[in-house]
Amino acid sequence: KLMALEARPLLWLALWTLAVPARTAPGEEHCTVERRADLSYAEFVQRYAFSRPVILQGLTDNSRFRDLCTRQRLLASFGDSVVRLSTANTYSYQKVDLPFEKYVEQMLHPQDPISMGNDTLYFFGDNNFTEWASLFRHYSPPPFSLLGTTPAYSFGIAGAGSGVPFHWHGPGFSEVIYGARSRWFLYPPEKTPEFHPNKTTLAWLRDTYPALTPSARPLECTIQAGEVLYFPDRWWHATLNLDTSVFISTFLG
Ligand SMILES: *[C@@H]1O[C@H](CO)[C@@H](O)[C@H](O)[C@H]1NC(C)=O
Ligand SMILES: *[C@@H]1O[C@H](CO)[C@@H](O)[C@H](O)[C@H]1NC(C)=O
Ligand SMILES: *[C@@H]1O[C@H](CO)[C@@H](O)[C@H](O)[C@H]1NC(C)=O
């Protein structure tokens, strides 16, 4: 009981800290990732695909898909389906199966700032696209592909303050479908960030980020619903959902 009472002010403090920059200047002065509207495929390949992240605007119109992703509609269609949850840490993902409705009712709350990533379960990836086909057939994936790769999708929903700590894999795209803002931190493959693999991104932002020297800071940006972020092969990245968010990633493997 006491723990819960103590944790609450901390939680509000953390969420307030996240929200304030957004209120004063939409978080945009910190965006160090290029944003491009109407980028051609040729320029994407030449300038970004193998060298740096980019945020693409106006790439696809997923408004229909977005309309189907409200909490109410998702619950009505998929409340009974069992989803596979993963822990929010870097290397060892423990998995737990739970009906989607239970996840939404019991676990879709703001991230507790004092809990560890390896103790936090959230829904991202491990999707059953057969069972959820009536939803996913409305998704328009990013139209840019890379030679020799096949896209694989990961869909998820998580509360404010949730996210994945630093990790890397092959190239891909990520977009926020519903709920808006998602803050991204990225480092090139040769610049391994300072982080604890079992700490949440929220804890990293609070404990590590403020002390970084300018040259040790990541590239970062807050992406909005409708924008698509591209990350190249092996780039380190960590994410932080500023609102309860529905997101989908396309991994090119
Ligand atoms: C989570 O990680 C921390 C630090 O790495 C460790 O002390 C703790 O036992 C882990 N918790 C679980 C449930 O494995
Ligand atoms: C996906 O869902 C379908 C329909 O509910 C089920 O038959 C199938 O076993 C599921 N696949 C996996 C990999 O869980
Ligand atoms: C992180 O947590 C996992 C699982 O809870 C544990 O096995 C591992 O030892 C922890 N890693 C570190 C670096 O503490």
Side-chain angles (χ1 to χ4, degrees):
K1 194 85 199 153
L2 193 62
M3 275 297 285
L5 288 174
E6 279 171 0
R8 198 151 300 158
L10 258 178
L11 174 68
W12 289 118
L13 180 66
L15 291 173
W16 179 80
T17 310
L18 292 174
V20 164
R23 218 184 291 141
T24 48
E28 290 318 307
E29 78 263 85
H30 295 301
C31 183
T32 47
V33 180
E34 282 181 66
R35 269 200 164 92
R36 297 292 306 267
D38 306 316
L39 184 69
S40 70
Y41 179 63
E43 201 186 343
F44 167 71
V45 171
Q46 192 196 344
R47 282 179 60 96
Y48 303 103
F50 306 102
S51 50
R52 68 185 73 117
V54 62
I55 294 162
L56 304 157
Q57 299 176 314
L59 200 57
T60 47
D61 176 7
N62 272 309
S63 46
R64 172 82 182 119
F65 182 60
R66 181 172 313 140
D67 289 344
L68 298 172
C69 286
T70 62
R71 177 191 182 111
Q72 207 179 7
R73 284 193 146 160
L74 288 177
L75 279 176
S77 307
F78 305 107
D80 296 335
S81 26
V82 171
V83 293
R84 176 152 290 183
L85 311 177
S86 312
T87 50
N89 55 334
T90 298
Y91 301 117
S92 48
Y93 309 101
Q94 203 201 319
K95 309 278 185 178
V96 173
D97 290 345
L98 203 70
F100 181 62
E101 187 175 28
K102 290 246 155 26
Y103 173 69
V104 171
E105 281 168 3
Q106 296 168 13
M107 304 176 102
L108 193 58
H109 45 60
Q111 172 70 42
D112 175 353
I114 58 173
S115 67
M116 299 290 293
N118 54 327
D119 275 334
T120 303
L121 286 166
Y122 85 135
F123 174 34
F124 181 58
D126 293 298
N127 305 106
N128 186 329
F129 291 105
T130 314
E131 198 173 3
W132 293 55
S134 61
L135 173 67
F136 290 110
R137 68 193 166 87
H138 296 285
Y139 178 59
S140 304
F144 296 167
S145 62
L146 294 177
L147 204 64
T149 66
T150 321
Y153 305 108
S154 276
F155 172 79
I157 301 165
S162 65
V164 243
F166 281 105
H167 66 288
W168 58 266
H169 41 68
F173 299 94
S174 189
E175 64 183 297
V176 190
I177 296 300
Y178 196 92
R181 305 162 306 148
S182 167
R183 189 167 171 190
W184 280 69
F185 305 94
L186 303 116
Y187 285 98
E190 68 279 7
K191 211 170 160 185
T192 303
E194 190 193 320
F195 72 103
H196 186 293
N198 284 344
K199 273 195 175 181
T200 59
T201 306
L202 196 57
W204 175 84
L205 186 66
R206 179 193 61 207
D207 302 339
T208 308
Y209 178 90
L212 295 175
T213 60
S215 68
R217 279 184 205 142
L219 286 182
E220 66 169 279
C221 200
T222 299
I223 61 168
Q224 319 280 337
E227 293 184 321
V228 176
L229 182 131
Y230 170 77
F231 49 85
D233 194 21
R234 289 175 222 202
W235 272 65
W236 289 95
H237 53 279
T239 63
L240 184 69
N241 302 307
L242 303 188
D243 311 292
T244 298
S245 300
V246 175
F247 34 84
I248 189 161
S249 292
T250 303
F251 300 111
L252 304 169

